[in-house]
């Protein structure tokens, strides 16, 4: 048993006090885990665009919960466990994940879904499910959680269903990026699009998620991977992920789906959309080949967004589908993704473009806002 088990732990956390204002390193108190909860010592965390989105206040007003501790891409070590937790022990190496796997709901029992009814991502909730209270406090006042993870803290408490035990030999400063963006893009290709060896694949958007989708196409043995982006600075970097062709919509005066169909004798076999822009979604769908083409939507649009296409595109045997977290069931599937890295099938190092100490976490926000790099590793102990 940990020497701190059952005790309140004082530690540093990066607290967001207002929309869009720099995070402040504060001394917070982290309460012990309650029933079915685990307290984790975070070793490394990263910034994902979802953190940026809600920090900037772009979500609906119900998500503006401040003060709040953001963060959801991370890796750490179990410090203590709450009552009823049987699948973790002190010292386990773990990934907190923003969406969980309770193992009991219809979604968890279905082989076709990873959208757990109990532990699905919920940016509107700033407290723990068990008792409706926060495990974080500052000067006696509660601080809101973020999507069940809140990894911008030296210690955090998560539901055991939102925690994944991984190979203890896996370097935590690499494995941490698998808890959201990279797995989302990788799984969009490998689990949802499922390109066959020799396929042609188009990837729309070449950020971390899009490049992870391209990496999935490379692993699947695609013969041609077309990267579509409006920022030509991404093109050279994308070659590391197997991208063979580059298309910038700004270089053409006609719909980009027409350009891609002309490039590929009628359309690509698979496409993955990673921007969340509804016009790009339709381009991704309309660029796949009739008869067998599959387009997968991975980017997240605004909740009121709509798109329009001609029904004949579907009747001509094109498939349009969506994916959530790359169709991975977190607890069941992510350990195998970590093993892909350990077996050198998946290269994570090329996603990591910057590193900063926890004290400079706001630098990671600046980098992402400026469109610089892919993933910035934030070390909690530097």
């Amino acid at each position: 048993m940990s020497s701190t088990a059952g005790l309140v732990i004082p530690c540093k956390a990066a607290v967001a006090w207002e929309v869009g204002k720099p995070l402040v390193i504060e001394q917070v108190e982290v309460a012990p885990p309650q029933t079915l909860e685990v307290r984790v010592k975070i070793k490394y965390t990263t910034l994902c665009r979802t953190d940026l989105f809600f920090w900037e206040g772009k979500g609906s007003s119900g998500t503006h919960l401040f003060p709040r501790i953001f963060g959801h891409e991370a890796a750490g070590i179990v410090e203590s466990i709450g009552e009823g937790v049987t699948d973790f022990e002190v010292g386990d190496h773990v990934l907190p994940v923003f969406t969980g796997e309770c193992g009991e709901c219809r979604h968890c029992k279905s082989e076709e879904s990873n959208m757990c009814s109990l532990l699905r991502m919920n940016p509107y909730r700033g407290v723990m499910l068990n008792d409706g209270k926060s495990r974080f406090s500052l000067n006696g006042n509660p601080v809101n959680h973020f999507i069940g993870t809140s990894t911008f803290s030296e210690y955090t408490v998560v539901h055991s269903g939102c925690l994944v035990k991984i190979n203890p030999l896996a370097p935590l400063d690499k494995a941490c990026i698998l808890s959201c963006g990279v797995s989302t893009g990788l799984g969009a290709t490998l689990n949802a699009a499922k390109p066959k060896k020799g396929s042609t694949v188009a990837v729309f958007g070449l950020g971390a998620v899009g490049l992870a989708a391209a990496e999935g196409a490379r692993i699947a043995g695609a013969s041609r991977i077309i990267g579509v982006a409006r920022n030509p600075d991404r093109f050279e970097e994308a070659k590391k992920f197997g991208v063979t062709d580059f298309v910038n919509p700004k270089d053409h005066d006609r719909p980009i789906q027409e350009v891609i169909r002309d490039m590929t004798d009628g359309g690509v076999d698979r496409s993955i959309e990673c921007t969340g822009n509804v016009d790009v979604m339709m381009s991704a769908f309309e660029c796949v080949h009739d008869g067998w083409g599959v387009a997968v939507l991975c980017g997240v649009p605004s909740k009121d967004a709509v798109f329009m296409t001609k029904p004949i595109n579907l009747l001509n045997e094109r498939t349009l589908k969506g994916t959530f977290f790359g169709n991975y069931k977190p607890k069941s599937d992510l350990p195998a993704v970590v093993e892909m890295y350990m077996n050198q099938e998946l290269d994570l190092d090329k996603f990591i473009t910057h590193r900063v100490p926890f004290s400079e976490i706001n630098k990671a926000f600046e980098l992402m806002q400026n469109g610089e790099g892919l993933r910035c590793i934030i070390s909690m102990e530097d």
Side-chain angles (χ1 to χ4, degrees):
M1 179 179 292
S2 165
S3 62
T4 49
L7 304 177
V8 172
I9 295 179
C11 71
K12 293 178 182 178
V15 178
W17 287 97
E18 298 179 59
V19 168
K21 294 295 179 66
L23 306 189
V24 180
I25 303 295
E26 304 275 15
Q27 184 87 351
V28 302
E29 293 187 329
V30 184
Q34 302 301 305
T35 302
L36 295 181
E37 295 175 359
V38 179
R39 188 160 59 184
V40 178
K41 179 178 177 59
I42 299 298
K43 303 291 285 185
Y44 298 93
T45 187
T46 69
L47 178 65
C48 169
R49 194 158 291 279
T50 301
D51 298 303
L52 190 71
F53 179 87
F54 288 103
W55 170 74
E56 290 178 333
K58 293 181 178 177
S60 60
S61 59
T63 65
H64 299 175
L65 303 177
F66 295 92
R68 194 170 211 179
I69 298 174
F70 285 99
H72 65 285
E73 278 193 0
I77 298 174
V78 171
E79 176 272 335
S80 61
I81 60 175
E83 182 180 347
V85 176
T86 59
D87 49 347
F88 294 99
E89 297 179 354
V90 173
D92 283 344
H93 287 209
V94 291
L95 303 179
V97 183
F98 67 95
T99 184
E101 186 179 349
C102 73
E104 299 297 328
C105 70
R106 290 182 67 190
H107 284 279
C108 286
K109 290 182 177 180
S110 168
E111 294 182 357
E112 299 181 51
S113 175
N114 67 340
M115 301 185 71
C116 177
S117 299
L118 178 67
L119 301 172
R120 192 179 304 185
M121 175 181 170
N122 184 352
Y124 297 92
R125 186 173 62 237
V127 295
M128 299 300 291
L129 280 172
N130 181 56
D131 58 3
K133 297 179 181 179
S134 175
R135 301 291 174 260
F136 298 107
S137 62
L138 175 57
N139 297 326
N141 298 312
V143 179
N144 287 288
H145 292 251
F146 178 64
I147 56 177
T149 50
S150 292
T151 62
F152 293 166
S153 174
E154 292 177 320
Y155 287 87
T156 191
V157 176
V158 301
H159 191 287
S160 61
C162 294
L163 205 59
V164 179
K165 185 190 302 185
I166 64 170
N167 185 339
L169 298 179
L172 295 180
D173 65 327
K174 309 290 176 59
C176 64
I177 67 174
L178 290 174
S179 55
C180 183
V182 171
S183 293
T184 296
L186 185 74
T189 301
L190 295 179
N191 300 330
K194 298 181 179 179
K196 298 177 181 178
K197 187 174 183 179
S199 296
T200 53
V201 178
V203 177
F204 289 75
L206 297 177
V209 174
L211 291 174
E215 178 78 353
R218 182 193 66 78
I219 292 171
S223 62
R224 194 175 182 188
I225 303 172
I226 301 171
V228 184
R230 301 177 70 86
N231 181 1
D233 294 341
R234 290 289 192 193
F235 293 167
E236 191 63 34
E237 188 170 42
K239 292 178 182 178
K240 303 175 187 175
F241 298 83
V243 176
T244 58
D245 300 76
F246 304 95
V247 178
N248 187 337
K250 293 191 291 187
D251 294 339
H252 301 275
D253 57 4
R254 57 186 177 130
I256 205 65
Q257 53 266 48
E258 293 182 10
V259 175
I260 293 174
R261 287 199 300 263
D262 287 348
M263 290 172 62
T264 55
D265 191 24
V268 292
D269 302 308
R270 301 289 187 267
S271 72
I272 301 96
E273 189 285 324
C274 305
T275 72
N277 180 292
V278 292
D279 293 329
V280 178
M281 290 178 178
M282 282 301 91
S283 295
F285 174 51
E286 293 176 1
C287 81
V288 299
H289 207 290
D290 59 0
W292 61 78
V294 177
V296 175
L297 305 185
C298 183
V300 181
S302 66
K303 65 183 182 67
D304 297 322
V306 295
F307 54 61
M308 183 169 57
T309 190
K310 296 176 181 178
I312 195 66
N313 287 325
L314 291 158
L315 294 172
N316 283 344
E317 300 185 2
R318 295 180 180 88
T319 299
L320 176 64
K321 61 197 298 188
T323 181
F324 174 73
F325 192 49
N327 286 28
Y328 286 120
K329 288 180 181 284
K331 294 172 76 72
S332 300
D333 298 334
L334 281 193
V337 181
V338 173
E339 292 308 308
M340 288 176 65
Y341 169 71
M342 296 297 286
N343 295 332
Q344 299 183 334
E345 300 166 40
L346 169 64
D347 183 1
L348 297 180
D349 297 68
K350 59 194 175 188
F351 288 95
I352 299 168
T353 53
H354 297 83
R355 291 177 179 270
V356 297
F358 187 41
S359 60
E360 297 178 17
I361 189 170
N362 288 304
K363 178 70 180 300
F365 280 76
E366 293 170 11
L367 289 166
M368 183 164 285
Q369 285 181 303
N370 294 332
E372 297 178 39
L374 297 173
R375 279 297 183 263
C376 177
I377 303 299
I378 302 162
S379 174
M380 305 302 287
E381 297 183 341
D382 288 353

